[in-house]
Amino acid sequence: MTKYRFEDYNEYNVLKVPLLLVLASIYLLKHFLIFALPMISTIPFLVRFAHLQFSVPLVLSGIPAILVIVAMLRRIPKTRSPILRGIWQWGKALLLSSLLLEVGFTILYIVLELKKFNEVSLVFLYLDIVLIIYLIKSQRVREVFAEFPDKDWSEDNR
């Protein structure tokens, strides 16, 4: 008996990226959005929120997630780049590093009293911890990051 259904595989015969993994990767870009809020919003509340939440280290903690998203978007057979294939192979570790950096910086800011511990910090920490557990425990995530479509896959294989 197979572990996954036919629908769980894409047209290249590799496991599809689960929606939760896609959403987790996008969630890790939240500090880039917070950084951009004052530039794209004229709503005073959002601008104030962005100024309170912004921090360069927190923005930088999202860089590994950007790499994973790029590899996720280029996860097709014609991708010959060994760099993208390597990023995908290390995708789980990269996402975990983004999460751990974010949690670490947030806790450091709170301990050093550089930022106030508020509802937003609590929600971000909670979501980060839930995602860390998901990435560590999920067999599907482990198997998705282990697969990248074959370079030699062609239309003939359909």
Side-chain angles (χ1 to χ4, degrees):
M1 186 170 165
T2 59
K3 195 174 198 174
Y4 299 107
R5 300 181 322 249
F6 176 75
E7 299 83 30
D8 293 329
Y9 292 89
N10 66 17
E11 64 270 25
Y12 309 118
N13 292 327
V14 294
L15 283 169
K16 290 179 183 174
V17 179
L19 179 61
L20 185 55
L21 184 57
V22 172
L23 294 175
S25 301
I26 292 169
Y27 163 78
L28 287 169
L29 302 180
K30 68 188 167 293
H31 291 287
F32 288 95
L33 177 64
I34 289 170
F35 170 71
L37 267 177
M39 294 175 259
I40 62 175
S41 177
T42 58
I43 302 171
F45 164 76
L46 289 178
V47 173
R48 214 171 22 260
F49 169 80
H51 286 295
L52 290 173
Q53 295 301 317
F54 176 75
S55 141
V56 172
L58 287 172
V59 171
L60 295 177
S61 72
I63 291 174
I66 290 173
L67 297 174
V68 172
I69 289 171
V70 169
M72 193 181 295
L73 293 171
R74 300 293 306 154
R75 191 174 173 242
I76 56 177
K78 66 180 179 182
T79 300
R80 302 244 183 242
S81 169
I83 295 171
L84 284 176
R85 288 175 177 272
I87 288 169
W88 186 253
Q89 183 180 11
W90 288 94
K92 178 179 166 183
L94 289 166
L95 292 176
L96 281 170
S97 69
S98 271
L99 286 162
L100 293 172
L101 283 168
E102 187 175 312
V103 167
F105 285 130
T106 301
I107 290 171
L108 185 65
Y109 287 145
I110 292 167
V111 168
L112 296 176
E113 297 179 1
L114 298 173
K115 287 187 181 241
K116 291 183 180 177
F117 186 68
N118 56 25
E119 301 85 8
V120 174
S121 302
L122 180 63
V123 169
F124 284 167
L125 282 173
Y126 175 76
L127 288 172
D128 290 347
I129 291 168
V130 167
L131 290 175
I132 289 169
I133 293 168
Y134 166 68
L135 289 173
I136 290 172
K137 292 208 165 251
S138 173
Q139 180 69 30
R140 173 85 181 255
V141 167
R142 194 173 7 266
E143 291 173 4
V144 164
F145 280 119
E147 294 184 333
F148 201 96
D150 247 354
K151 293 178 191 176
D152 298 329
W153 197 95
S154 68
E155 294 294 323
D156 304 340
N157 293 337
R158 282 191 179 199

